[in-house]
Amino acid sequence: MKDMAIYFKEVEVPDGCEPGEDIRKVLAFRQKCIDEKKNFFKGFSDLYAFRDVVREKLEEIGWRETEVSSQVSVELDEAKRTPKADENTNETLASDAWLLDEEARRFLKGFTQRSPEWESTLPHEVARLRLMGTAVTRGGNDNSYLGNHDANLMFENFKDAALSNQEVRALVDCGVVGFQHQNVPLWGWLAKLEDERGIWRRIELLAGAGATDTEKKNAIDILKLGGQGIPSFNDVLDKKAMLGIWLDDTTSGQVFDAAVAHLLSNANKDDLPLIEEVGGRCSPHRRTKIEEAIVGILSRTSLDAALKRLVEKQVDKVDGALVDALFESPQSLSTTTVLSCLSAKSESVRLRAVKLLFERNEIKLDAAETLLTDSNHEIRLLAAESLIKQCRALRDDVAKKALRIIKPSNGLLAFSSREQTDDTYYDKYVVNRLAELDFAALKAKAQNAGPYDNAPLSVLYSKYPSKVVEEIRENLRDLFKGYFVKKVIEAEPLDAATEKKALAVYPLIRKPLCVDALAALCHVGKAQDLDLVRMVIEKLELDATDATLDYLARFGDWSDIERIKKMGSYSKTRPTLLGMLDVKLPSQKASTIFALGKGRLADLLALDLDSSIRIALAKRLPNKVLLSLKDELLLRELGRDDDRYRSIFALRCVQTLSKARVSSLMDKLFDSERRFYNSVHWLDLGAAFPSRLAKKIADRALSEF
């Protein structure tokens, strides 16, 4: 009776009119349903809405039940054709007399004949008993799944045992529900469930008719990792019907977002007509997200077509990975297409287009003047630079107004009207103007600058490091203290008050000067400067730069790893001669640390590293290095405390090692003291699936970490 549903047509009674007797009866019955809370119902407005709610209910009742029932029926029919005798009674029993499959019945019979003593039952046997309860499902019952711990007990003790299809199916469902946490086995059970319809059939079913939104969403994510297209079962539940389930406005946000990500990654050009047809019925907000997926699909065959679609449909938010894909091959993009992107709604697309046009000298005067008022200040900076190229230099006050970011106060007092300013892009503009000067002019600028204006000196060091290398060394030896004191004395008499002020400001002035000077010295690249470089890093909490890290990788040794770990990052992007300073610290630090420690991997992996650096290191370890590591070392890494690192390291093992070795690692992991479920989850992928497929899935999974 739980599958009964009531639907009320929404009837509007005009103002000033009384509803007729029939309508009053319906409204009274509706209110009774609400008051007694006995019946679940929905409203509908017209014939089309009625069609949708009825279809939704039929799908809810039917698809999941049909899959389970049909599978059981097939198995029972096969059992009828080859009846088996009961081991104890030697009586032949008709298979359709049993609710559970033969393997499950055999286990259950042995379990119930045990001694009532507590010690006669083992935890994994209780786990299987609980599994049977979740494997038998019918309409009208609550949905239930095996718990995580019991699921892992089942995997540890029964992964090589003969289980019934019902049990394996329930274990797959449990793995799908827990997939986002990666703490429940899935891949081995999925491989066991494979039949003539393939590995993915159960996942495809759950992606469209899962009992919960979590189950649907996770199933779609798994299909995405597996590189599978839009599922299609038959003439009724075909691709169009599946898209209708995924994209409909009544579908939950998490299922819809997973579906859009799946389409962006896995759908092909032939799917576009269906996606456009179904997406056209969605709300404007959802249509915008669907358009992003369409752009991604088009980008795989035609970058021009993808960008034109993006501009035409005014797609607002575009995923960063998609933007990278759209502009990864600039030589393939026509200037006409890139120019059209100047009117794109997405800031990230406009910025990439402006950068490319700037490199090609294709930003015309009128376009540059328009872009000077763009909402993105980096685009404004490029527009200002374009005007400079065209001999239309801005007055300083105009440049400052265009490039300065004004932020409202974040004070706690509501009446505070104080504004905050960010001059990052204006400072970059000033640095670029200084960089246009020749050596003599820039040297004079640096000499005449005040004690608190360090931009000319930094640009001098960055642009002409070899010409002033001795000066750089001299200033770094005392961390610019002598330079700063001299500048203060030149600016004003050094009385007690001035000296106190200078000493208070000196630490703030010293750090950026030392960072830029150290980068310039490292760019010169002389081994004789190694001790000086180390001294500066040790005395100051310096921020890392590409030049400094590259220098240490080239001339440093094992002892420099601690210095690299100590180096920090800029709190915000800072202008330099060659661009905005934005060092991707975990990745670049990991590269430098690996270069210094690749001859002693065991010691390197045992270091106390920041989580982000360790993860970056795991991602970039060469395959031949991973292959050379002993199982003992691999197991140590698979048992670290960091969840994310364990998943990534396990995926690298799947990506690199043979199927046999991954299986062996997984077995050893079960015998070790530090066994983590997510390590087992991903190793199971490599152990269960054909190597080529497992490695492809690992590649996709790693790209999402």
Side-chain angles (χ1 to χ4, degrees), residues 64-101:
R64 183 181 178 92
E65 189 72 17
T66 299
E67 175 74 4
V68 173
S69 300
S70 62
Q71 184 71 26
V72 173
S73 297
V74 169
E75 292 165 2
L76 292 179
D77 288 342
E78 291 174 352
K80 283 182 182 180
R81 289 193 291 272
T82 55
K84 297 180 181 179
D86 184 278
E87 292 178 352
N88 294 322
T89 64
N90 291 324
E91 295 178 0
T92 300
L93 299 173
S95 295
D96 58 357
W98 302 102
L99 181 63
L100 296 173
D101 290 349

Side-chain angles (χ1 to χ4, degrees), residues 2 5 36 39 88 98 182 214 218 222 242 327 335 352 399 410 477 480 505 538 567 631 649 695 704:
K2 276 189 172 182
E36 295 181 356
N39 293 290
N88 294 322
W98 302 102
Q182 302 153 23
T214 298
N218 290 349
I222 294 166
M242 186 64 73
F327 289 92
T335 298
R352 294 292 284 271
N410 57 359
R477 288 188 185 102
F480 281 87
V505 175
E538 288 170 357
M567 296 174 76
D631 284 1
F649 199 85
K695 292 179 191 303
E704 296 182 1

Side-chain angles (χ1 to χ4, degrees), residues 681-699:
H681 171 92
W682 289 116
L683 290 178
D684 178 35
L685 167 66
F689 277 19
S691 288
R692 177 178 289 185
L693 177 57
K695 292 179 191 303
K696 284 185 177 179
I697 293 174
D699 289 345

